[in-house]
Amino acid sequence: MAPTASSVQSVQAYPADQIRVEFGVNAGDPLGVLEDLVLDDVYELQDARQPRRLGLEAWEDGSLAVHQDTDLGRAGSSLHLDCAITLMPEVGESIEALIMVEVESECLIDAIYLVPQAPLASRTGYRLLSADPERARRGLAELACVSFTRGTRITLGTGAQVAIETLQPGDRVLTRDSGIQPVTWIGRTTARATGAMAPILIRAGALNNERDLLVSPDHRLMVYQRTDAIGVGASEILVRARDLVNGETVVVQRGGFVDYFQILFDQHHIIYAEGIAAESLLLDPVTQTALPDSVVDQLQVLPRHGARSDHGFDVTPGMLDRLDLVDLLKHASLR
């Protein structure tokens, strides 16, 4: 039986030919795969272009492919997660990154991408400190896990709101479609608030929320449109926090470190964070790597974890190219 699609997400990536060895054994060569890498080689980003969006489609058998909603790669092509690397700039802290390989049908390499947790500066040397295939799945899971930040108030079944860091497995949380549900697991990671790991701040009032909400960039928020303000043909939509950024009421909050908390249930649910409907962690072949083995074993005896589409239409960035998007969604949910 052919594998079926499980989930879709995206990462920020550089094509390998934009990153070349300036000093070292492979001088002049572009970034390669694990077997071609040499520790202590110094890489540089060749120009000031920003990373671009690489759409990923995860399948239930654990394989990856380029999703049709992408700025890089050819839709439908297979992707191989090659390795995780650590790069050390001349000044500043090290950067963790992934090397991903796009493969043709004949299993030949079609393209190589670098997926960093923080953007690279052009004309700056980055020394290759390590390359490890065993860390790659964990690194991708950290990028894919939707997370709330420390202090975010989650609505319990009683109606009380409590900070997410105080929740424990078994606590009962209010969900939008399934009533009161017990928490299965709470995870925590600490990351530098930069690049792909910088959280998105949704200021109080932006989406009728009473307090600020700070979430991971790919966290989907659920908006119920009483009128179809953005023309997607659906009243219940899911929109990524990063796609709402307008520089005023929704902004990227960079700098320092951020504590991310993941909340997992037996199924994928929409819960309430600072009064905004937002998704819980969706367990799939990518995010599963971030969980303890004991939790994975527990969930494997339960029904399939569900899909985002069970809770609304998952809109793509191309559908949201409007400067007044946040205001449109705010007013559409009230009318």
Side-chain angles (χ1 to χ4, degrees):
M1 181 181 297
T4 57
S6 175
S7 67
V8 174
Q9 51 251 338
S10 63
V11 294
Q12 298 295 306
Y14 295 99
D17 60 5
Q18 291 183 16
I19 303 167
R20 294 182 176 271
V21 178
E22 291 299 311
F23 305 100
V25 174
N26 291 326
D29 291 346
L31 180 73
V33 295
L34 177 65
E35 63 184 18
D36 298 325
L37 301 178
V38 176
L39 298 185
D40 286 331
D41 274 1
V42 177
Y43 289 83
E44 283 190 6
L45 179 65
Q46 299 299 297
D47 53 51
R49 279 181 287 181
Q50 295 298 305
R52 299 167 63 196
R53 186 166 51 86
L54 175 63
L56 305 180
E57 190 167 31
W59 299 78
E60 288 187 343
D61 66 352
S63 61
L64 299 170
V66 180
H67 188 253
Q68 62 182 3
D69 180 27
T70 187
D71 294 332
L72 289 172
R74 187 175 64 247
S77 295
S78 296
L79 282 172
H80 169 63
L81 192 56
D82 185 66
C83 64
I85 65 173
T86 303
L87 298 169
M88 177 61 74
E90 296 169 348
V91 178
E93 299 185 44
S94 61
I95 294 175
E96 301 299 321
L98 303 174
I99 293 178
M100 302 192 74
V101 180
E102 184 177 347
V103 181
E104 295 180 342
S105 56
E106 294 82 8
C107 296
L108 299 175
I109 293 177
D110 193 33
I112 300 173
Y113 305 106
L114 180 73
V115 181
Q117 287 193 359
L120 304 182
S122 62
R123 304 302 177 183
T124 295
Y126 292 89
R127 187 175 302 277
L128 179 64
L129 296 185
S130 68
D132 183 0
E134 300 301 321
R135 290 193 291 117
R137 278 281 169 180
R138 176 76 185 192
L140 183 59
E142 290 177 355
L143 291 173
C145 283
V146 298
S147 308
F148 299 99
T149 57
R150 178 179 293 277
T152 300
R153 298 186 305 174
I154 304 297
T155 302
L156 300 181
T158 61
Q161 294 182 320
V162 300
I164 190 167
E165 65 268 21
T166 68
L167 287 175
Q168 299 292 327
D171 286 349
R172 296 167 64 80
V173 169
L174 179 65
T175 71
R176 184 176 186 271
D177 298 315
S178 301
I180 301 170
Q181 296 293 325
V183 174
T184 299
W185 176 76
I186 294 286
R188 175 189 168 187
T189 55
T190 299
R192 291 172 58 201
T194 185
M197 302 303 288
I200 306 300
L201 173 63
I202 301 163
R203 299 191 190 279
L207 290 174
N208 304 306
N209 45 312
E210 292 185 1
R211 298 197 342 155
D212 291 350
L213 175 65
L214 193 65
V215 295
S216 57
D218 282 339
H219 209 132
R220 268 75 164 184
L221 308 178
M222 189 273 178
V223 178
Y224 179 80
Q225 300 185 101
R226 298 182 184 275
T227 57
D228 188 7
I230 60 175
V232 296
S235 58
E236 296 181 345
I237 64 171
L238 298 173
V239 57
R240 298 185 313 170
R242 73 161 73 242
D243 294 330
L244 294 172
V245 172
N246 58 15
E248 296 179 0
T249 58
V250 182
V251 298
V252 182
Q253 186 163 291
R254 299 182 179 90
F257 289 82
V258 58
D259 284 337
Y260 278 130
F261 290 82
Q262 303 84 38
I263 181 169
L264 180 74
F265 298 88
D266 290 351
Q267 297 289 305
H268 183 239
H269 290 298
I270 300 297
I271 62 175
Y272 296 93
E274 303 299 353
I276 293 181
E279 68 173 334
S280 65
L281 178 61
L282 173 64
L283 185 66
D284 64 22
V286 174
T287 58
Q288 176 177 309
T289 310
L291 273 61
D293 291 341
S294 59
V295 175
V296 175
D297 292 342
Q298 175 186 344
L299 292 170
Q300 284 178 343
V301 302
L302 297 170
R304 186 171 173 270
H305 208 223
R308 287 192 171 97
S309 57
D310 295 338
H311 303 290
F313 181 74
D314 194 6
V315 295
T316 61
M319 300 176 180
L320 301 171
D321 189 18
R322 299 191 55 150
L323 295 177
D324 59 348
L325 175 64
V326 176
D327 285 339
L328 279 177
L329 292 177
K330 176 181 179 179
H331 290 103
S333 66
L334 294 174
R335 292 170 182 166

